[in-house]
Structure formats: C-alpha cells, structure tokens
Amino acid sequence: MASSIVSFVKREAVGCIALLCALVSMIFVPPSAAYLGYIDFRVLALLFCLMAVVAGLQDCGLFAVLAQKLLTGKKRMRFISLVLVLLPFFVSMLITNDVALITFVPFTLLVLGLVGRMERALYLVVLQTLAANLGSMATPVGNPQNLYLYSAFGIPAGEFFAVMAPLTLVSLVGLSIAALCVKPEGIEVRFPEKQTIRRPQQLWLMVVLFLLCLLSVFHVLHYAVLLAIVAVCLLLFARHLFPRVDYGLLFTFVCFFIFAGNIGDIPAVKDFLSSVMAENTFITSLCASQIISNVPAAVLLSGFTEDWKGLLLGTDVGGLGTLIASLASLISFRLYLKSPGAKPLRYLGVFTLANLVGLAILITVSLVFLL
C-alpha cells in the first residue's frame, strides 16, 4: 500500500501539491458557494476536448506515419537531426508540448538505435525538449498556460500571434542551428515494420473534432456545445479514448483555481502579490515558473495583474530553465532515462546549459522588442 501511494505521488506530484495548496488555503477561506466562481469551466472543457481528440489522433498512428515517411531511406545525419528536432517544435503547436515529447522522444531513440548512433540521444532529446517547449508558445492550444491565459484575459487572436511570433521565429532559427551541429555523414534508416494509419474513419472524425476545438478556442463555437459534441462522438464511436484523457491535469487546474481564488480573498497576500506583479510582471512570472512550474504560475498570478502580455511571455519563456519549469521537460527526462546507456547527470548538465542559453536569448528579445 505504501509503495503504491509513493508511486502515485511521484506520478502526480504537481496534482498532489495543488491539492495541498488548495486544502491549506481553505483554512483561511472556508469552503462556500463562492468556490464555483473561482473555476474556469471553459478552460476545463477545452482541455478535456483537446486531450481526448489528440489522444484519438495518436491512436490512429498519424504522427508515427508522418515521422517515418520523413526519415526512411538514405539521409544525411544533419537532415535526420533537423527533422527529429523540428517535428516536436511544429507539432507541439497543435497537440501540446507534453504530447509531442511523448510521441517523438521514443521515436527518436528508436531511430538512433536503428542507425547505431545512440551516443547522439542525449543531445537530441535535450533539443527536442526545448523544441516542444518553444514551439508550443506559438499558439493558444500549444500548452495549458496559453489556453488558460488566452481564455482568462480574452486575448484577441491577432495580438496573441503578434506577441508570440518573434519569439517563435528566433527559437526556430536557434534550434535549427543547434540541430545541424552534428557530424555530416550519410545514414540509411530502415524501420522493422512500416507504420500505417489505423482506424481511418476515426482519423477523419478526430480531424473534424479538432477543427471544432479550434473554433471554440477562438470563440466561434461555445465551449458547452463543443463539449457535448465531443462527449457524444466519443460515446458513440471511440469510448476507448476516455481513459486516455489526463484527468490529473484537469484536477490540478481545479485545485489551483481554488487556491488562487482563496489567495485573492486574503487581503495581506493579495496586496503583496499585486505589488510584486506591479513591479515587473514578466520577471516575476518567469521566476515563479522556475520554482512551481509555468502552468501553476500562470493560474496563480493571473488574478493579480492586468498585464497579460508580461504574464504570457513570463510563463512561456519561463518554461525554459529548471527541469520543473515546464512539466514537459520532466517527461522527456524520464523517457531518456529508460534508454540504453543513459547518463542522467550529464543530461542534466547539457539540459541546464542549453536552457540557460535559450533563456538569455529569449529574455533579451522579450525585453527589447516586446515589452
């Protein structure tokens, strides 16, 4: 029993911390009907729908087929490296950074094993982690904090993309240069079995549902209508996808909504956070992300500022830095540890160095051109 509890806490560490924070805050602000006003049901509905639909797309083998088609045959190692890094960069814009890493890190380890280049795994997995975290900044659906802030502040789509485009372009250039810094050699990639699209009818259904999700994100379709459509479609055609939804993430959001709402009702704490955020929203949210991760930081700090641009940039750029700054970084680290010959300490050293370089560049771009 004890080992099962420990295993659960490790697996859902952020959710457990969120629950603890919510429970402690209840001591100061007792539970009441006002708690319902803390919860952003639109964000929860959109997250559920997006996670279910992306799980459906994964289930069809869409991303594995795409990656295999790009890499099969005689290629240059630099081309393979570039493709493996840019796949999570661009795909994370639509399916979130954590799902992109869950999809492409194991695929990368497979490819490197097939061509006998496992010594490149550490470098490429670090770059893929940065790529997923940076690419996901580009869209409102790329990561949970973007979706939350986009909804909470009612950010106009044009302004959102105008703010994030410069960072995305700089990230693309930097990642491309880093990915090409490998030995120029010829490699032939042959997979043991050809990947094909499974459940083609489900694929088309998921594509349609994903487009409906985007319409809801951009306020064209009401989130309650979207939730009803997705739920009915899953019940009728894809019930096996319900367990694939990350309910732990939804629970984490609910706990942080309650915690943030209660904190906002404690005058002393509210005044302190408001004054700190007034000093520099960007730096405060960036620093908070290093300690509590960028998703909780976005939820907690959003109630103490009207500077959505500073908060958005701070939590997105703040996804770089420590291993816990973005939960997606923990995912790729765990996947790398399962690979043959994994070197955890060296990985952490390379990861930290790469993140510090990325932070320095993006902080400069943000402060000079965007804030």
Side-chain angles (χ1 to χ4, degrees):
M1 175 66 74
S3 61
S4 299
I5 295 175
V6 171
S7 177
F8 175 81
V9 171
K10 287 182 177 179
R11 188 172 65 253
E12 299 291 347
V14 177
C16 292
I17 292 172
L19 175 61
L20 180 62
C21 290
L23 291 175
V24 170
S25 71
M26 289 179 185
I27 298 174
F28 302 94
V29 182
S32 68
Y35 275 32
L36 290 176
Y38 298 159
I39 299 173
D40 191 330
F41 291 101
R42 181 176 186 273
V43 169
L44 295 178
L46 290 174
L47 276 173
F48 172 84
C49 294
L50 284 165
M51 287 190 289
V53 172
V54 168
L57 293 172
Q58 274 187 304
D59 190 48
C60 297
L62 175 63
F63 308 118
V65 170
L66 170 65
Q68 195 174 91
K69 284 185 178 295
L70 286 171
L71 295 175
T72 299
K74 294 181 179 180
K75 310 289 183 183
R76 304 296 293 179
M77 190 62 204
R78 283 179 173 170
F79 174 80
I80 292 174
S81 175
L82 184 64
V83 169
L84 290 175
V85 171
L86 294 189
L87 272 173
F89 179 80
F90 286 109
V91 173
S92 67
M93 297 178 184
L94 298 177
I95 67 170
T96 73
N97 48 358
D98 54 346
V99 175
L101 290 172
I102 290 171
T103 301
F104 291 113
V105 169
F107 182 83
T108 295
L109 297 174
L110 170 64
V111 170
L112 295 177
L114 289 174
V115 299
R117 296 295 185 275
M118 282 302 293
E119 72 276 6
R120 309 275 174 84
L122 187 152
Y123 181 66
L124 285 179
V125 172
V126 167
L127 287 185
Q128 284 187 310
T129 305
L130 266 69
N133 285 330
L134 294 172
S136 65
M137 297 189 304
T139 66
V141 299
N143 53 53
Q145 75 269 12
N146 277 13
L147 182 62
Y148 169 70
L149 294 175
Y150 185 84
S151 175
F153 287 93
I155 304 172
E159 292 185 31
F160 178 94
F161 290 117
V163 169
M164 301 314 301
L167 292 181
T168 304
L169 291 174
V170 170
S171 301
L172 176 60
V173 172
L175 287 167
S176 298
I177 293 172
L180 292 172
C181 290
V182 297
K183 186 179 179 180
E185 57 179 323
I187 297 291
E188 185 170 2
V189 183
R190 294 191 180 278
F191 293 91
E193 60 178 293
K194 183 179 180 181
Q195 294 288 334
T196 57
I197 295 293
R198 304 181 296 273
R199 302 187 177 98
Q201 291 181 330
Q202 176 179 302
L203 174 60
W204 287 113
L205 174 63
M206 293 301 135
V207 169
V208 172
L209 291 179
F210 184 76
L211 292 176
L212 292 178
C213 287
L214 292 182
L215 289 177
S216 187
V217 168
F218 293 114
H219 301 280
V220 177
L221 179 68
H222 194 276
Y223 73 88
V225 176
L226 172 70
L227 180 61
I229 293 173
V230 171
V232 169
C233 288
L234 293 183
L235 282 170
L236 294 178
F237 307 110
R239 293 186 182 182
H240 63 284
L241 295 179
F242 278 111
R244 300 275 298 274
V245 173
D246 187 354
Y247 296 103
L249 178 61
L250 297 176
F251 176 75
T252 299
F253 261 91
V254 171
C255 289
F256 273 119
F257 284 145
I258 293 173
F259 174 66
N262 284 341
I263 288 296
D265 282 342
I266 303 174
V269 178
K270 181 179 181 180
D271 291 343
F272 171 74
L273 287 176
S274 297
S275 64
V276 171
M277 291 294 284
E279 289 292 325
N280 194 313
T281 303
F282 172 72
I283 296 299
T284 301
S285 54
L286 187 148
C287 292
S289 297
Q290 304 305 305
I291 302 170
I292 64 174
S293 184
N294 52 5
V295 174
V299 176
L300 174 61
L301 299 177
S302 62
F304 304 96
T305 182
E306 295 298 321
D307 180 15
W308 65 263
K309 185 185 294 186
L311 185 55
L312 177 67
L313 289 171
T315 51
D316 274 358
V317 175
L320 301 183
T322 64
L323 191 64
I324 63 170
S326 169
L327 297 183
S329 300
L330 284 172
I331 291 173
S332 56
F333 180 54
R334 289 171 182 164
L335 292 171
Y336 168 75
L337 291 180
K338 296 178 182 179
S339 65
K343 301 175 180 178
L345 293 179
R346 187 179 176 189
Y347 179 96
L348 291 173
V350 174
F351 174 87
T352 302
L353 178 60
N355 274 261
L356 289 177
V357 172
L359 264 179
I361 294 172
L362 294 185
I363 287 175
T364 301
V365 173
S366 299
L367 293 176
V368 174
F369 297 105
L370 299 173
L371 292 172

